[in-house]
Structure formats: structure tokens, C-alpha cells
Amino acid sequence: MKKDFLTLLDSDAVEVEALLDGAARLKKYRAEGKSHAILPGCSLGMIFEKASTRTRVSFEAGMHDLGGHALFLNPADMQLGRGELVRDTARVLSRFVSAVMIRAYKHSTIEEFAKYSSVPVINGLSDKAHPCQVLADLLTLKERFSSLEGLRVAWIGDGNNVCNSLLVASAYTGLEVQVATPPGYRPPSWAVEAAEERGARFTFFDTPEEAAEGAHALYTDVWVSMGNEEEREKRLRDFKGYTLTADLVRRAEPDAIVMHCLPAHRGEEITEEVLEGPQSVVWDQAENRLHAQKALLVNLLSDKVHSCGMQ
């Protein structure tokens, strides 16, 4: 039966734990130079409405490591860019590739594609969720602290797609999320309600200082995402005081780490000092996109996995 990965709501605690274990194992294989080409003959179609560095390179390199092949598909170069319906493209690509990853402006585009696709569909980013990023974040946290249970993660800034996915992930992992956003920028009700229904532990604070207190990780993201450029000046005003600074880091636990999903706008949501400081793990986060997504690909294409000690 086809399985998609559109949000973390498509998973559960058992599956997330298995994905993280698989990612750690695949990371070790790569570091040791051990072949794990366990998806030979598989292909991944990658549709990018939005520009990308980490998503594109990690999926493309990941499929290569797994013995498969990735195809970069720019809608401007496809019939999608000339008005072909999403559902028609989904039906056709399903005949050609083993899975499809989409990085889209609207989550509804990915949902429609998945509805008509006969192969697994992965959300590489949408306005609603960024589940692949949060898988990498969970792997990074687990590497640093061994266990996720009871870790306090302070989210400071925009209650955006990454924050939405982090709230849901907390329900599966035992994380406690401490969110500080300006008025009007809290996560949407669907994310809050979905996380609550699954037993997530999170608290909303009025100031970054409150959220940072006693945190094991401080996490931020850009204030102006792709698609929000026309709101730039307003957002810069609204987010004044929400920069992740050294003063906020000092309010956290002594061994706290600093996280950012990149790209970073130094001097806006985070200072140069903190981004490049000794507590920053942003480069480990970026690398872990590769390992987490490889584990996800193996999971979604498990019926095609050849024996390699992975089962």
C-alpha cells in the first residue's frame, strides 16, 4: 500500500524512532565508507517550485548513496509551467519514477499530487509543514543528548512551517517546546490542535527571554520566508527584539545548543556571534538532512530494499 510523507501527522512515535535509528545507522555506514546501495534501480523525481540548496543536494546525494537516481524537475521546464494540471503530472510521473519529492509554495499542491500519484510522495517543504527538516533536527538533538525525552527546545521567531512540524514531533518524542513569537505570528490552530490531540508538550511565551530560560536547545528561522518578500519591512518591525543573541543563549542550560534550519540572515533572526559560536550545531543539522532523508527513502521504498543488513 502506497505511503506518503506530507506531514509528521503521517507518522507515529514508533515510526519516527525507527527513522532516527535508521538515519544514525546510514550515517555510520557513510562515515565508514561502507556501501549501502540498497535502492538500485530506484529513481526519485524532485519538483522544485521554490529555490533550494539543502533539500536538493541532500536528496540527490542521498539517492546516489542508496544506489538510485534523482531527477531535478523545474516546473518552468515542465508542462506544469504551461498549465498542465497537477493531477495529470502526478499520473504520468508515477509511471516513470519510484517516488516523488515536491518543494512547493502551497501545501494543497502536494496534497493534490499525492492524491493522484501511485508512488510515494514526500513533502520537501510547503507553507504548512517541513517534516524532512524536523527529522534532521531530531537526529541532531539525539546525537547531542542521547535521549529526546524531556528536552526543552525554545523556538524563537515565526510560528512557521518548521515550528508546526516541531510541535507535532514533540508528541512522538517527549520533547517540550517553548515557543516565543510576536503577536499574530503564533503557529496556526490546526498545528496546535493536532499536536495537543497527540499529547504534545508545549508552552507559548510572550517574550524570547521566557522561552529561552532553561532550554536545552534554542532554535530560530528566517523572519521573511520565500513567498513573504512583500511583507519584509513589516516583518522586520514586528520581529524586533526576537533576534537570537548571546544574552538569550546565556539564559539556557550551560550545554544548550543553537539550531537554525538555514539559510540564515545574520543580524536579523540570529547574530553572527551565536551562529558561528561554539554552541551552534547548524552545520550538523544541515548534514543530517542527508541521513534522515535516506532513512525516509528506505522506509517509503521498503518493498524495493535489497538485503544489506538494514532489515
Side-chain angles (χ1 to χ4, degrees):
M1 181 177 179
K2 179 177 83 85
K3 179 173 173 56
D4 300 313
F5 189 71
L6 308 189
T7 75
L8 281 167
L9 299 175
D10 293 325
S11 300
D12 56 31
V14 173
E15 185 170 40
V16 167
E17 183 177 8
L19 287 171
L20 296 180
D21 289 345
R25 187 159 55 248
L26 289 167
K27 185 173 184 176
K28 184 172 183 289
Y29 286 175
R30 196 173 197 264
E32 294 174 347
K34 181 177 179 181
S35 175
H36 46 283
I38 52 180
L39 293 178
C42 290
S43 55
L44 175 69
M46 305 187 303
I47 300 176
F48 286 91
E49 289 185 354
K50 286 189 170 187
S52 171
T53 298
R54 282 150 291 277
T55 299
R56 177 179 177 179
V57 178
S58 57
F59 269 109
E60 194 161 333
M63 280 301 288
H64 178 270
D65 285 354
L66 294 171
H69 178 69
L71 301 90
F72 174 76
L73 303 171
N74 184 339
D77 299 328
M78 303 168 63
Q79 295 300 335
L80 268 176
R82 299 181 65 246
E84 182 173 52
L85 297 178
V86 170
R87 61 177 179 264
D88 292 350
T89 301
R91 290 178 177 124
V92 172
L93 285 187
S94 297
R95 306 289 182 105
F96 297 152
V97 299
S98 310
V100 176
M101 186 282 299
I102 311 178
R103 185 174 169 92
Y105 282 97
K106 295 181 179 180
H107 191 77
S108 58
T109 299
I110 302 177
E111 289 180 319
E112 183 178 2
F113 197 102
K115 179 179 178 180
Y116 290 95
S117 172
S118 59
V119 299
V121 175
I122 299 168
N123 177 3
L125 175 143
S126 71
D127 58 342
K128 182 175 180 179
H130 200 352
C132 290
Q133 176 63 54
V134 170
L135 281 182
D137 298 338
L138 296 176
L139 179 60
T140 306
L141 286 163
K142 193 170 183 180
E143 287 176 339
R144 289 299 176 119
F145 297 103
S146 298
S147 173
L148 300 177
E149 181 68 38
L151 287 183
R152 295 183 294 277
V153 178
W155 178 271
I156 296 169
D158 190 12
N160 62 10
N161 51 359
V162 180
C163 184
N164 295 343
S165 295
L166 187 63
L167 291 182
V168 175
S170 71
Y172 302 150
T173 59
L175 291 179
E176 299 176 15
V177 185
Q178 304 174 172
V179 181
T181 69
Y185 291 94
R186 283 189 176 179
S189 58
W190 74 262
V192 174
E193 292 168 4
E196 286 178 334
E197 289 170 1
R198 288 159 177 78
R201 291 179 286 183
F202 56 89
T203 308
F204 292 119
F205 292 96
D206 294 327
T207 68
E209 289 77 13
E210 291 174 295
E213 199 69 43
H216 297 97
L218 299 164
Y219 198 163
T220 191
D221 193 3
V222 295
W223 295 342
V224 185
S225 299
M226 287 180 286
N228 298 130
E229 288 83 0
E230 73 282 357
E231 302 175 13
R232 177 171 175 76
E233 294 307 316
K234 180 180 187 303
R235 281 176 169 262
L236 291 181
R237 292 193 302 270
D238 291 347
F239 283 89
K240 186 177 180 180
Y242 282 80
T243 301
L244 183 43
T245 64
D247 286 340
L248 286 180
V249 175
R250 283 190 283 272
R251 289 179 175 269
E253 291 293 304
D255 62 345
I257 60 175
V258 172
M259 306 178 75
H260 193 307
C261 52
L262 300 177
H265 293 167
R266 291 163 167 83
E268 291 185 10
E269 76 278 359
I270 191 168
T271 64
E272 173 88 11
E273 175 188 14
V274 171
L275 184 70
E276 300 289 356
Q279 289 169 271
S280 172
V281 297
V282 298
W283 319 117
D284 295 331
Q285 269 182 281
E287 178 190 342
N288 283 338
R289 289 290 302 277
L290 171 68
H291 311 300
Q293 288 160 189
K294 283 162 66 174
L296 176 63
L297 288 165
V298 171
N299 174 273
L300 294 177
L301 299 174
S302 58
D303 60 322
K304 302 181 185 301
V305 172
H306 290 229
S307 177
C308 186
M310 291 296 296
Q311 294 181 325

